[in-house]
Amino acid sequence: MSGATQGDATSRERLRVPLGRLAIATVLTAATLAVVWFVAVPLGPVACPAIMPPPTNCMSSYREGTALVISVATVSIYAAMVVGALTIGRRRPAIVTAGIVVLTALLVTAWPLIGLLAGFPLA
């Protein structure tokens, strides 16, 4: 009997939701959104050339459009990862790990993308 209960316990262990990885993904998503909206949009590039009209990445209205696209992409990737973690991620934790890697890449590249891309206005 102990062999059957041990097998059941290990299968339950394997099918648990990866809460630690979901917590990491939540922190990465929140950090990316904070970098996007509190750092990149108000501050933008440090130096802009003294030409008229200035390049579009120097205007905050153009950075907001790029920030919105990056925010939507970040939240979409996070939502897909949570759904994956709650369904197939229980059997294949590499899917959740891949989502964490993508969210980390977004966190690292968010500021340069917003500060350096030409962007577009929201209006």
Side-chain angles (χ1 to χ4, degrees):
M1 258 328 201
S2 67
T5 57
Q6 184 181 7
D8 291 341
T10 57
S11 66
R12 273 187 258 133
E13 267 307 302
R14 196 174 20 189
L15 294 178
R16 284 185 26 199
V17 176
L19 294 178
R21 292 180 185 179
L22 287 177
I24 292 170
T26 303
V27 169
L28 287 171
T29 302
T32 302
L33 294 175
V35 164
V36 166
W37 290 105
F38 296 126
V39 176
V41 172
L43 299 178
V46 175
C48 287
I51 59 172
M52 288 307 281
T56 55
N57 63 344
C58 289
M59 298 180 223
S60 64
S61 63
Y62 279 72
R63 289 192 307 265
E64 289 170 358
T66 308
L68 181 64
V69 170
I70 291 174
S71 296
V72 168
T74 302
V75 171
S76 299
I77 290 168
Y78 174 72
M81 196 196 81
V82 168
V83 168
L86 296 176
T87 56
I88 60 176
R90 293 177 180 182
R91 289 185 209 99
R92 295 187 175 93
I95 292 172
V96 179
T97 304
I100 290 173
V101 169
V102 171
L103 287 171
T104 303
L106 272 172
L107 175 61
V108 171
T109 60
W111 189 88
L113 285 175
I114 294 169
L116 301 176
L117 288 178
F120 55 91
L122 289 177

